[in-house]
Amino acid sequence: PDRAHVPTLRTAFRKIAQYDGVRGFYRGLGLTVLVQVPSSGLYFTLYDALASRLKSASSTPQNTNTPAHLAAAAGAAARTATTLLAAPLELLRTVAQASTSSSPSARPALPASPAALRGLYRGVSLTLLRDVPFSAAYFAMFETFRTAAAAHTGRERTDLGVAFGAATVRREGA
């Protein structure tokens, strides 16, 4: 089947259903879950640990929200570490998902040579250039909204649910 040219979304759905059946819509989902769940867990755990350490080092009370500049630094560092640790798995996942064969012998093998191992990090610099600034901005804004929610509710620190709602809370007179 010619999968290179798919002019519309409708045609893409039709071709996937025709050639791969319903299972074709879910190809690679298991691998994605196996990579993304631990990766996300590591990312948020590292953020919390780094933010806590940065707060301690800056004499910020632990029972308060993290200042935006410290949150940005912790988010950037957590994303960098997570990306570097998960990059080989991401590449193997991508190669496995792109494979059109279901034969076990056609699945990608782990590289053995040092050059092949370096190849597992191909594209990481671009991923870091995209993800690290986003993570810094995300956590800086998250903690800023969290602090605003704390001020709005009269608490020193907010719960996670209150923090997510902070963007939608409108103060009277604002």
Side-chain angles (χ1 to χ4, degrees), residues 3 27 94-103 106-108:
R3 296 179 190 201
R27 182 181 351 166
T94 302
V95 169
Q97 284 179 331
S99 171
T100 58
S101 173
S102 60
S103 167
R107 292 189 183 133

Side-chain angles (χ1 to χ4, degrees), residues 127-150:
T127 301
L128 289 170
L129 283 172
R130 179 195 66 199
D131 290 355
V132 171
F134 169 81
S135 293
Y138 171 82
F139 280 109
M141 288 188 293
F142 173 77
E143 292 294 349
T144 299
F145 287 136
R146 197 172 179 181
T147 300

Side-chain angles (χ1 to χ4, degrees), residues 68-141:
H69 68 287
L70 298 180
R79 175 53 69 195
T80 300
T82 303
T83 298
L84 292 174
L85 290 170
L89 297 174
E90 284 287 342
L91 182 62
L92 290 174
R93 176 189 63 83
T94 302
V95 169
Q97 284 179 331
S99 171
T100 58
S101 173
S102 60
S103 167
S105 62
R107 292 189 183 133
L110 290 174
S113 72
L117 287 172
R118 280 191 302 275
L120 289 175
Y121 285 92
R122 180 175 293 142
V124 168
S125 58
L126 294 175
T127 301
L128 289 170
L129 283 172
R130 179 195 66 199
D131 290 355
V132 171
F134 169 81
S135 293
Y138 171 82
F139 280 109
M141 288 188 293

Side-chain angles (χ1 to χ4, degrees), residues 26-38 90 93 97:
Y26 299 97
R27 182 181 351 166
L29 182 62
L31 287 171
T32 299
V33 170
L34 284 173
V35 172
Q36 289 303 314
V37 170
E90 284 287 342
R93 176 189 63 83
Q97 284 179 331

Side-chain angles (χ1 to χ4, degrees), residues 17-30:
Q18 179 183 356
Y19 295 117
D20 299 323
V22 174
R23 292 184 75 190
F25 292 106
Y26 299 97
R27 182 181 351 166
L29 182 62

